[in-house]
């Protein structure tokens, strides 16, 4: 696993899952590797041996886990960057020990990705048969009693989305070519993620939405909470990417988070001034990306200390998505807000130079 760039959750945190499984004496739903209580502990951490994977309201995680213990599918809804994919991966890893049964939703996703396809060489040679059938991740999850993940559900065409209706309501997948069907075994469920902010979104039909229990993931409630999330993830990514050691100043992390929160909300941290918001989402995930890139710059091309110049270019690139309107928003924010903060002078100069 040392050569893998990014290990699956069940591999990366295998030790923690084993600790929980060993000490877990609570009731487990059929097909689950852990009890709902242990799954929640794995997600939120215990302050000791289990590290937190998601930082947010405990009740949200409890509702999500409880949903998976019923016959309802789970839809994680939220703006980009609220850890929907991250949470779905860890939920699948803790519940069924396998987070790899994944359907990635795009505008080009075909119905075969949800139902099944065919090995056309065998189909032409032998005719329709189980051997010629290529199961989708959803079909495999049904057969094996595992959790299937559907990422960016609203990016799929509507007719492909609706291929899930029979699976979710009847817990069966018909194969009319063979006059057969695949019935879901105990432990099967579906976790889908979606957002309604990006372009290219296809609204879910009311019939499909009714078959999901929707859990909305909020943006971090406070700046301190978001700084904590960003700090943890930046440290984890630095280790996994084996970046050279760099001193990650909490001050720079706090600055990036402050800039993103102010531009996202349209008001300064002290509430005294309104600012214009750019077209991008400026999510927590983007803040993590900006800081990880800054650490790489500091480690490889600087003195090993994260400085304003290391994060300035990343911030400008994240904010200025539209080269016309966003550039005006950024310049106005830079001159009216950042410039006036006495302890941000070096940050202001670095951002002005990068812009």
């Amino acid at each position: 696993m040392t050569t893998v760039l990014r290990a699956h959750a069940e591999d990366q945190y295998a030790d923690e899952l084993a600790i929980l499984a060993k000490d877990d004496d609570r009731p487990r739903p059929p097909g689950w590797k852990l009890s709902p209580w242990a799954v929640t502990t794995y997600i939120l951490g215990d302050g000791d041996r289990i590290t937190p994977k998601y930082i947010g309201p405990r009740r949200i995680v409890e509702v999500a886990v409880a949903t998976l213990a019923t016959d309802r599918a789970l839809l994680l809804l939220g703006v980009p960057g609220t850890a929907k994919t991250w949470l779905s991966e860890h939920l699948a890893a803790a519940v069924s020990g396998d987070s790899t049964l994944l359907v990635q939703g795009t505008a080009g996703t075909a119905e075969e990705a949800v139902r099944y396809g065919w090995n056309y060489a065998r189909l032409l040679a032998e005719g329709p048969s189980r051997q010629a059938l290529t199961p989708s991740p959803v079909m495999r999850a049904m057969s094996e009693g595992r959790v299937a993940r559907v990422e960016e559900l609203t990016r799929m065409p509507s007719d492909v989305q609706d291929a899930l209706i029979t699976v979710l309501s009847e817990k069966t997948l018909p194969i009319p070519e063979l006059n057969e069907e695949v019935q879901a075994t105990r432990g099967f469920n579906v976790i889908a993620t979606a957002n309604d902010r990006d372009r290219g979104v296809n609204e879910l039909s009311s019939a499909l939405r009714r078959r999901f229990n929707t859990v909305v993931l909020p943006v971090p409630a406070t700046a301190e909470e978001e700084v904590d999330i960003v700090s943890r993830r930046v440290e984890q990514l630095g280790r996994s990417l084996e970046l050279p050691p760099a001193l990650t100043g909490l001050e720079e992390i706090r600055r990036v988070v402050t800039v993103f929160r102010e531009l996202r909300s349209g008001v300064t941290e002290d509430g005294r001034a309104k600012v214009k918001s750019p077209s991008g989402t400026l999510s927590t995930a983007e803040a993590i990306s900006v800081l990880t890139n800054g650490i790489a710059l500091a480690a490889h091309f600087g003195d090993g200390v994260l400085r304003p110049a290391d994060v300035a270019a990343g911030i400008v690139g994240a904010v200025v998505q539209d080269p016309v309107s966003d550039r005006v928003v950024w310049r106005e924010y830079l001159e009216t807000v950042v410039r006036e903060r006495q302890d941000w002078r070096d940050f202001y100069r670095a951002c002005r130079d990068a812009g």
Side-chain angles (χ1 to χ4, degrees), residues 23-235:
D23 299 336
D24 188 14
D25 58 357
R26 299 181 183 236
R28 304 182 187 184
W32 282 40
K33 301 293 185 182
L34 300 171
S35 68
W37 176 86
V39 172
T40 303
T41 302
Y42 168 75
I43 298 295
L44 296 174
D46 65 355
D48 184 16
R49 297 179 297 175
I50 310 302
T51 58
K53 317 304 180 300
Y54 174 78
I55 298 174
R58 181 180 183 87
R59 197 59 177 173
I60 285 180
V61 177
E62 291 176 341
V63 170
V65 174
T67 296
L68 295 175
T70 69
D71 64 345
R72 298 270 290 180
L74 173 64
L75 175 62
L76 299 175
L77 188 67
V79 298
T82 47
K84 299 183 296 297
T85 298
W86 181 253
L87 182 56
S88 75
E89 179 185 359
H90 284 283
L91 283 171
V95 169
S96 61
D98 186 358
S99 63
T100 65
L101 298 175
L102 172 67
V103 177
Q104 180 61 58
T106 68
T109 300
E111 191 172 335
E112 288 81 0
V114 175
R115 293 169 55 82
Y116 53 85
W118 296 97
N119 180 329
Y120 287 102
R122 298 196 69 164
L123 184 65
L124 293 173
E126 305 170 7
S129 67
R130 271 300 186 106
Q131 290 70 35
L133 186 144
T134 304
S136 70
V138 175
M139 178 182 281
R140 286 183 54 201
M142 294 177 72
S143 302
E144 300 169 11
R146 299 182 183 274
V147 174
R149 298 166 54 211
V150 182
E151 291 298 317
E152 301 290 356
L153 179 60
T154 49
R155 288 191 176 278
M156 293 181 178
S158 298
D159 57 332
V160 179
Q161 294 176 11
D162 288 343
L164 284 169
I165 291 178
T166 302
V167 171
L168 299 182
S169 59
E170 304 297 328
K171 300 298 186 287
T172 185
L173 182 57
I175 310 175
E177 296 90 342
L178 303 179
N179 196 27
E180 296 180 14
E181 65 179 8
V182 173
Q183 290 187 302
T185 57
R186 289 181 178 272
F188 166 73
N189 213 325
V190 173
I191 304 174
T193 66
N195 75 76
D196 54 5
R197 287 283 301 274
D198 283 352
R199 297 171 182 170
V201 166
N202 299 304
E203 289 295 330
L204 300 181
S205 66
S206 57
L208 181 57
R209 188 178 283 272
R210 285 196 304 270
R211 286 156 174 83
F212 282 101
N213 187 30
T214 301
V215 173
V216 179
L217 299 186
V219 296
T222 65
E224 290 303 321
E225 185 177 300
E226 190 162 2
V227 168
D228 186 23
I229 294 171
V230 172
S231 300
R232 289 174 183 272
R233 285 295 295 139
V234 167
E235 183 182 356

Side-chain angles (χ1 to χ4, degrees), residues 79-82 195 197-198 219 226 260-261 263-265 278-286 318-319 321 326:
V79 298
T82 47
N195 75 76
R197 287 283 301 274
D198 283 352
V219 296
E226 190 162 2
F260 276 36
R261 289 181 68 87
L263 288 173
R264 198 165 61 209
S265 64
S279 60
T281 56
L282 298 181
S283 65
T284 306
E286 290 171 287
V319 174
Q321 299 292 317
D326 288 347

